[in-house]
Amino acid sequence: MPRLAANLSLLFTEQAFLDRFALAAQAGFKAVEVRFPYDVPAAAIRERLDATGLEMVLFNLPAGDWDKSERGLACLPGREDEFRQGVTQALDLAEAWGVRQLNCLLGIAPPTGHRSVRETLIANLSHAAEAAAHRGITILVEPLNSHENPGYYLSRTRQAIEILDDVGLGNLKLLYDVYHQQVSEGDLARTLEKYLARIGHIQIACPPHRSQPGTGEVDIAWLLGHLDRLGYDGWVGCEYTPQGTTLESLGWAKAWLA
């Protein structure tokens, strides 16, 4: 049965970041994920995890200057050292917090020619996966829709699978974001069924406004049931922007949190 994790970068934002851990636990979540936790003292996060009994299941590798529209470093020739430093930083934190999966955003592809960008990407992902394997950690790659992330290297599931095949390491998997993939390609149920064995983590939000299930064009409750029938028992990150308060947005989740 799929298990829900609260994305604390988007949920419970009514309170300061460190206070969101307790709110997630009180709402019934057993796990949390975070986008970029690097500005918060590691010991403070460890303290909140211990106090609430929550498991942190995912966060992103450093992704460059987000405010300047950078969306990852993995495909950027000339920034390999920065990427590798970020891998080490993230792996150290993952060990400190007991996180077993890290998401690697690939970046906005520069206009330097497909070959050099692709070679840089494969080399960087190989390095990240090999370094993570020594610590028992899985690296994920995530397609993002090109409407909101123009120029991002990866937008479709089949492209991601080709990258996984090129790297050829068992601890490199796909992060399947229902919101991004509905915008990019649709056909969610059959895609999940086809590639389930290659998926390490799933995230949900409802298009077109990236809001909670029940507010848009995808029947996410049905999709969670489909994942259950397929035998998926991994984590599903609730990475949506609530319409109303976070607690008001969780009515759909009661059965899954129970």
Side-chain angles (χ1 to χ4, degrees):
M1 184 175 183
R3 298 168 289 165
L4 299 184
N7 187 301
L8 297 186
S9 298
L10 293 181
L11 300 188
F12 303 105
T13 57
E14 298 88 353
Q15 298 294 329
F17 175 74
L18 287 173
D19 294 332
R20 297 173 198 171
F21 290 83
L23 294 175
Q26 291 165 12
F29 287 99
K30 305 301 182 186
V32 295
E33 61 180 35
V34 181
R35 286 181 169 178
F36 301 104
Y38 301 101
D39 293 333
V40 182
I45 290 179
R46 179 73 266 172
E47 179 183 343
R48 298 306 169 106
L49 292 172
D50 292 340
T52 58
L54 290 167
E55 178 181 356
M56 186 182 289
V57 297
L58 182 76
F59 62 93
N60 294 334
L61 296 180
D65 192 333
W66 197 264
D67 292 336
K68 293 183 178 179
S69 298
E70 291 191 325
R71 294 294 181 266
L73 303 173
C75 77
L76 304 183
R79 297 181 70 177
E80 291 87 350
D81 288 345
E82 184 180 353
F83 175 80
R84 293 185 177 211
Q85 290 168 6
V87 169
T88 300
Q89 180 185 16
L91 288 174
D92 288 346
L93 290 175
E95 282 199 321
W97 297 331
V99 180
R100 309 301 344 141
Q101 297 196 120
L102 296 172
N103 184 37
C104 178
L105 296 175
L106 303 189
I108 306 297
T112 57
H114 176 77
R115 182 176 178 82
S116 63
V117 172
R118 183 76 172 196
E119 288 176 349
T120 299
L121 173 64
I122 298 304
N124 278 335
L125 288 177
S126 297
H127 168 80
E130 288 169 359
H134 291 299
R135 311 201 200 193
I137 293 172
T138 295
I139 300 294
L140 307 176
V141 296
E142 179 185 10
L144 304 181
N145 78 77
S146 58
H147 298 282
E148 295 169 310
N149 303 277
Y152 184 75
Y153 189 89
L154 179 64
S155 63
R156 294 180 175 268
T157 305
R158 183 61 223 171
Q159 292 174 290
I161 296 301
E162 290 172 356
I163 290 170
L164 301 188
D165 289 343
D166 284 351
V167 175
L169 295 173
N171 70 321
L172 186 66
K173 292 194 171 185
L174 170 66
L175 191 162
Y176 190 88
D177 187 306
V178 166
Y179 171 78
H180 283 295
Q181 293 318 106
Q182 171 65 10
V183 174
S184 293
E185 62 188 14
D187 204 17
L188 302 175
R190 277 183 290 228
T191 301
L192 286 166
E193 183 173 356
K194 182 176 182 179
Y195 295 116
L196 191 64
R198 311 296 296 275
I199 293 172
H201 189 76
I202 294 170
Q203 291 177 328
I204 55 172
C206 209
H209 303 300
R210 198 167 191 153
S211 49
Q212 66 261 30
T215 60
E217 65 189 50
V218 174
D219 188 344
I220 291 179
W222 182 92
L223 206 62
L224 288 172
H226 180 61
L227 286 168
D228 192 22
R229 292 185 290 273
L230 292 175
Y232 180 76
D233 62 355
W235 294 104
V236 175
C238 299
E239 193 191 35
Y240 64 79
T241 301
Q243 292 184 356
T245 69
T246 299
L247 288 178
E248 289 170 346
S249 80
L250 287 171
W252 66 274
K254 290 180 179 178
W256 300 98
L257 293 174

